[in-house]
Amino acid sequence: MAEKTELTLDRAQVKKAVQALQAFLKTKSTGESLFLNETQHISLLFTLWKIPRVTQTIRIPLPHGQRPDTEEICLFTRDEPKMTSDQTQRFYKRLLEEKGVKNVSEIIPYKVLKTEYKPYEAKRRLLGNFDLFLSDDRIRRLLPSHIGKHFYERKKEPLSVNLQSKNLARDIQRVIQGTTMKVTNKGCCCMARVAHSGMTADEVTDNIEAAVQTIMAKLRMKGPVMKLIHLKSQTSVALPIYTSDLNHLSVLQTGEDEGDANKKKAKKIKKENKKQADTSAKNKEALKEKMEEEDEEIPQLVPIETPSKKAKLGKPSKKKQLQKASKPAAAKKGAKAQSKVTKKAGKMEPKGKRKGPKVK
């Protein structure tokens, strides 16, 4: 990928756009708004070439304050140990006066926020009464569950401040008079408030140039980043102050081709790793089967039980009794057969010995 390209604005063109916007706002202003000294926000609309992969919040310091002095600012502080809510409030008021901070109009300790502003209507009232909310960085992570989603929908979430800083006035002034821009991965457009309608054309132009430089430096993207920049107010049409060259399209295409090639390589590597894992799993299964077969072939040794003496002395078993009973019967049959044979032999012998009749 190519490195991030630098962006240069034509100051004369930017100033013309600012003057045209201010003239439009003067024509649209009414007597009521002039009487109340109301001002409109002037913002920059950035259009990127690609949708960012990572969400990011960029803090932008500005040379001229982009908030009028009439804006109400609220500060959320932590609960000081061994102090009540009123004592904590007085303690931080005294601290801000000593440090020279005069812009903060209300201080709300964390315990008061949890108890008095717990109902839904109280939160909505708090949101409408103040234009900006600051928070002690020690309790910033605890606030989202107590202030509600409406603070984030209207982009009035508290900005963290280090109340233990040695240069507290300078830090709070930078946060109040600076601005922030949220870069999300849900689209290629983002907006940052840089001025108000009560400022001069040169002050607005200086703020625009400073904001563009810091955004290009802090944006976590490579290659040609910015496609279009527009200037607009809350009620006006967007006026273009920067348009990118079409030469960046070739760089973007080459970058996309490189990205596609990298994706293909990653897919090939994943496939090879899967194949290796499958083969290793198959080899393991084959080894397990062989081991199981070998275990089945090995004969198991069974211990021989030695007959006890009690079994010899005891009564003979039924099988032995049957064997003993069968032996005498066979012996008797054999004896009878032998006696019959001897009797026949005895009878036959006299017949042989008989002499023939005497002849007279």
Side-chain angles (χ1 to χ4, degrees):
M1 292 289 290
E3 293 182 356
K4 192 183 294 184
T5 56
E6 294 182 359
L7 190 149
T8 55
L9 292 175
D10 186 0
R11 184 178 175 86
Q13 185 69 24
V14 173
K15 191 172 181 179
K16 285 180 182 179
V18 171
Q19 289 172 349
L21 182 61
Q22 287 177 339
F24 172 78
L25 293 175
K26 284 180 181 178
T27 58
K28 290 293 181 181
S29 62
T30 60
E32 185 179 358
S33 63
L34 290 172
F35 177 74
L36 295 173
N37 196 17
E38 289 183 355
T39 57
Q40 288 198 25
H41 307 322
I42 297 175
S43 304
L44 288 176
L45 177 63
F46 298 93
T47 305
L48 308 178
W49 277 108
K50 291 181 180 180
I51 297 174
R53 295 182 180 179
V54 184
T55 59
Q56 186 182 359
T57 301
I58 301 173
R59 283 198 174 187
I60 305 166
L62 297 174
H64 306 286
Q66 53 96 16
R67 295 181 185 275
D69 297 333
T70 57
E71 285 196 351
E72 298 289 331
I73 298 171
C74 177
L75 174 65
F76 298 119
T77 64
R78 76 161 192 169
D79 298 321
E80 289 296 323
K82 298 180 181 180
M83 284 189 187
T84 62
S85 299
D86 295 335
Q87 290 174 347
T88 303
Q89 194 173 9
R90 278 189 248 109
F91 170 76
Y92 280 105
K93 277 185 179 179
R94 201 180 309 114
L95 177 67
L96 295 178
E97 288 175 1
E98 289 175 358
K99 297 291 184 178
V101 179
K102 299 177 181 179
N103 298 333
V104 178
S105 54
E106 185 69 26
I107 295 173
I108 299 176
Y110 180 63
K111 188 176 181 181
V112 175
L113 178 66
K114 287 194 298 182
T115 55
E116 295 185 10
Y117 294 96
K118 189 175 182 180
Y120 174 77
E121 292 298 330
K123 291 177 183 176
R124 292 298 297 270
R125 243 183 288 114
L126 178 66
L127 180 62
N129 290 338
F130 298 97
D131 301 298
L132 178 66
F133 293 91
L134 303 177
S135 170
D136 189 350
D137 57 356
R138 293 170 289 183
I139 62 164
R140 178 65 184 82
R141 61 185 179 83
L142 304 173
L143 295 180
S145 59
H146 297 288
I147 59 178
K149 64 179 181 179
H150 300 286
F151 281 75
Y152 296 91
E153 289 176 354
R154 293 181 61 178
K155 298 180 180 180
K156 285 188 177 182
E157 61 269 22
L159 303 175
S160 61
V161 176
N162 183 13
L163 295 179
Q164 295 176 329
S165 175
K166 294 180 180 178
N167 300 318
L168 183 60
R170 185 193 65 186
D171 295 344
I172 289 179
Q173 193 67 19
R174 281 182 180 178
V175 173
I176 292 172
Q177 300 303 337
T179 186
T180 59
M181 186 182 78
K182 283 193 174 183
V183 181
T184 63
N185 55 0
K186 296 180 181 179
C188 60
C189 293
C190 43
M191 187 178 288
R193 175 182 167 184
V194 294
H196 61 85
S197 57
M199 298 171 65
T200 62
D202 291 327
E203 290 176 348
V204 177
T205 305
D206 293 339
N207 282 2
I208 290 170
E209 289 179 344
V212 171
Q213 288 178 3
T214 54
I215 288 167
M216 291 299 296
K218 294 182 179 180
L219 201 60
R220 296 173 188 169
M221 294 177 70
K222 293 182 179 180
V225 176
M226 202 62 64
K227 184 179 181 181
L228 298 169
I229 302 176
H230 289 84
L231 181 70
K232 71 182 299 295
S233 69
Q234 294 171 322
T235 57
S236 70
V237 182
L239 303 175
I241 59 174
Y242 172 80
T243 304
S244 179
D245 296 331
L246 296 178
N247 297 328
H248 295 320
L249 291 174
S250 60
V251 179
L252 287 167
Q253 287 176 357
T254 54
E256 288 177 357
D257 295 337
E258 290 178 0
D260 294 337
N262 293 330
K263 287 180 181 178
K264 288 180 181 178
K265 286 181 181 179
K267 286 181 180 178
K268 286 182 181 180
I269 291 167
K270 284 182 181 179
K271 286 182 181 179
E272 291 177 357
N273 292 335
K274 284 183 180 179
K275 287 181 181 179
Q276 290 178 359
D278 294 336
T279 53
S280 62
K282 288 179 181 178
N283 293 332
K284 287 180 180 179
E285 289 178 359
L287 288 170
K288 284 182 180 179
E289 289 177 357
K290 286 182 180 179
M291 293 294 290
E292 288 176 357
E293 290 176 359
E294 290 177 357
D295 293 339
E296 289 177 357
E297 291 176 359
I298 295 170
Q300 294 182 354
L301 299 174
V302 180
I304 299 170
E305 293 182 358
T306 55
S308 59
K309 294 181 180 180
K310 291 182 180 179
K312 292 180 180 180
L313 297 172
K315 293 181 180 180
S317 61
K318 289 182 179 180
K319 290 183 179 180
K320 291 182 179 180
Q321 287 177 359
L322 291 171
Q323 288 176 359
K324 287 180 180 179
S326 61
K327 284 181 180 179
K332 287 179 181 178
K333 286 181 181 180
K336 285 181 181 180
Q338 287 179 0
S339 63
K340 286 180 180 179
V341 172
T342 52
K343 283 180 181 179
K344 286 181 180 180
K347 288 179 180 181
M348 290 297 291
E349 283 179 357
K351 288 180 179 179
K353 290 180 182 181
R354 286 179 184 178
K355 296 179 179 179
K358 291 179 181 182
V359 180
K360 289 179 179 181

